[in-house]
Amino acid sequence: IGNNASGTRSVKYGAARDSVLGLKVVLPGGRLVELGTRTRVASTGYPLERLFVGSEGTLGVIVEATLRYVPIPKFRCLGVANFAKLEQAGESITAVMASGCQPSMLELIDKVAIEAVNRAQNLGLPEVEAILLFEADGMVKEAVDFEIERISGICAEHGGFGIEYSYDPAEQARMSAGRKKLFPSLSKFAEALASTALADDMAVPYSHMAECARTIHEVAERHGLVMTAYGHCGAGCMHTKILMDTSRGDQWQAARQAISEIYEFVRRVGGTTSAEHGIGISKAGQFQKEKHGLLDLMRAVKAVFDPNGIMNPGKLVEAPPDWLEAGPLRYHVEDA
Ligand SMILES: Cc1cc2nc3c(=O)[nH]c(=O)nc-3n(C[C@H](O)[C@H](O)[C@H](O)COP(=O)(O)OP(=O)(O)OC[C@H]3O[C@@H](n4cnc5c(N)ncnc54)[C@H](O)[C@@H]3O)c2cc1C
């Protein structure tokens, strides 16, 4: 709740904010307040509970939450499609989202991620520019069948191949193994490269997902870095990892420049700095650029709830704009 987390199924079920009906919060002075309601609808003044979701501990301490539940679907069908070109996957994402289908998952895996899991796990995934994982779920099997066939058909219309889908958990585990084993695989991509979570989380309108991944690859290459681009593409959520030699000072400078260029692209297409991980320190500079016209209002909100500035100080609006200078790195840098 503190950072409005979401995940692979946010394309259908939303982020934490969509599930929070009410909160109990202790304000910095010790006052306990109850925010929100237990009802599905409310039009009762400012929805302060929504303000606290994603506030990253900067306003008060959440001590209780009332959540909206949804029933667990009886049927889940997972599918996969391979694309020679990133743009074909991008067109499929847009077409699926515009089709009226409600996928419960739509995940993009890029060529760097594919290479990483093939190297580390020997999975034998096709060496293509993009793989889409898609899922439909529901209480009625015929409805799930209809959606999964429609999504598969859309992928095929846009050049997808090797398309398959299954209700069988063992088959689903096989199809999603690449995505599940991605993080440890990235760490083993190359002996000298560490997988760093720097510009690791952003969101763009889903119609720009392929362009965003392409931009990330181009920027990384120009700066002598390796970057992967993957994410919950139906929700427009893009994750990256920068694979770099963390002992080299020039790689950190390159990473800083690459991140800056990637976020310029994100803002240009109407995207936002963080999809689900929050701002903290490392994304503060980009967040402050994106919200530059609103920082005075955000500071004023912070001052109302936390006049003495004791709640998670030095984050969000208060964070230093340059993460590289913000504090000691947890890596040893030889020529820093
Ligand atoms: C490998 C990995 C994968 C991840 N994948 C995802 C993903 O798929 N989706 C996603 O959304 N995120 C993902 N994350 C990031 C994830 O969102 C956060 O790590 C997680 O949500 C933080 O939860 P936590 O309980 O550890 O909270 P913390 O890290 O303790 O806190 C998160 C924020 O909430 C604030 N906070 C904590 N407790 C309170 C409280 N009681 N009241 C008010 N504020 C509070 C903190 O100050 C902080 O700003 C991933 C992280 C990792 C390391």
Side-chain angles (χ1 to χ4, degrees):
I1 293 172
N3 60 326
N4 192 26
S6 54
T8 50
R9 295 201 169 96
S10 54
V11 59
K12 182 167 183 180
Y13 295 103
R17 188 173 281 127
D18 301 304
S19 298
V20 170
L21 296 175
L23 293 176
K24 274 191 194 170
V25 174
V26 178
L27 299 180
R31 179 177 159 200
L32 178 70
V33 291
E34 288 191 38
L35 312 174
T37 71
R38 292 178 59 85
T39 62
R40 276 297 292 273
V41 291
S43 179
T44 321
Y46 302 128
L48 294 179
E49 72 287 358
R50 296 182 76 82
L51 177 63
F52 272 80
V53 181
S55 62
E56 300 187 25
T58 60
L59 302 179
V61 179
I62 299 162
V63 292
E64 195 177 302
T66 303
L67 303 178
R68 180 173 75 92
Y69 279 9
V70 290
I72 294 173
K74 280 205 177 102
F75 301 97
R76 265 195 188 128
C77 189
L78 182 72
V80 64
N82 309 308
F83 295 88
K85 289 280 158 208
L86 199 43
E87 288 70 19
Q88 295 169 319
E91 286 162 13
S92 302
I93 295 164
T94 305
V96 167
M97 296 307 293
S99 69
C101 289
Q102 266 207 307
S104 48
M105 186 196 295
L106 192 53
E107 289 282 308
L108 174 76
I109 305 170
D110 77 339
K111 61 179 182 184
V112 178
I114 294 167
E115 194 180 337
V117 290
N118 278 347
R119 277 192 205 183
Q121 316 287 344
N122 206 15
L123 283 184
L125 298 181
E127 305 264 329
V128 288
E129 282 198 354
I131 295 177
L132 285 184
L133 277 176
F134 49 90
E135 184 192 74
D137 69 6
M139 294 297 183
V140 180
K141 183 163 181 303
E142 288 73 16
V144 179
D145 283 343
F146 176 83
E147 290 222 315
I148 208 82
E149 281 164 23
R150 182 85 188 91
I151 297 169
S152 301
I154 290 170
C155 289
E157 283 161 26
H158 291 88
F161 64 96
I163 298 171
E164 54 177 329
Y165 52 81
S166 176
Y167 286 88
D168 176 17
E171 280 296 292
Q172 294 182 352
R174 178 184 60 76
M175 284 188 256
S176 60
R179 180 66 178 86
K180 292 250 163 73
K181 293 178 176 165
L182 180 55
F183 289 165
S185 303
L186 288 170
S187 301
K188 295 180 188 160
F189 188 81
E191 191 64 33
L193 304 183
S195 173
T196 61
L198 296 172
D200 65 329
D201 173 50
M202 59 200 70
V204 293
Y206 56 71
S207 56
H208 289 282
M209 281 301 280
E211 194 188 349
C212 186
R214 182 71 76 201
T215 301
I216 288 168
H217 294 153
E218 282 170 4
V219 169
E221 201 176 319
R222 193 153 19 86
H223 290 285
L225 301 164
V226 179
M227 287 186 75
T228 177
Y230 60 95
H232 322 315
C233 55
C237 168
M238 179 67 90
H239 291 313
T240 68
K241 291 282 178 290
I242 301 184
L243 310 184
M244 58 189 246
D245 184 342
T246 51
S247 68
R248 283 173 43 193
D250 64 321
Q251 289 261 287
W252 287 99
Q253 299 298 335
R256 174 164 57 186
Q257 186 56 32
I259 289 168
S260 182
E261 289 173 26
I262 289 164
Y263 271 115
E264 272 165 32
F265 165 84
V266 167
R267 288 191 291 273
R268 199 165 58 243
V269 298
T272 195
T273 307
S274 171
E276 54 184 27
H277 292 180
I279 301 300
I281 294 172
S282 68
K283 296 186 208 77
Q286 301 302 330
F287 156 77
Q288 289 161 8
K289 275 189 188 164
E290 180 190 332
K291 302 291 184 194
H292 65 93
L294 300 172
L295 295 178
D296 58 333
L297 294 178
M298 291 195 190
R299 285 197 186 97
V301 169
K302 164 88 172 157
V304 167
F305 286 97
D306 181 24
N308 297 321
I310 61 170
M311 297 304 301
N312 205 4
K315 308 285 163 46
L316 279 171
V317 279
E318 294 174 345
D322 184 354
W323 55 270
L324 199 47
E325 306 289 330
L329 295 168
R330 65 187 162 101
Y331 299 90
H332 174 68
V333 186
E334 306 259 326
D335 50 353

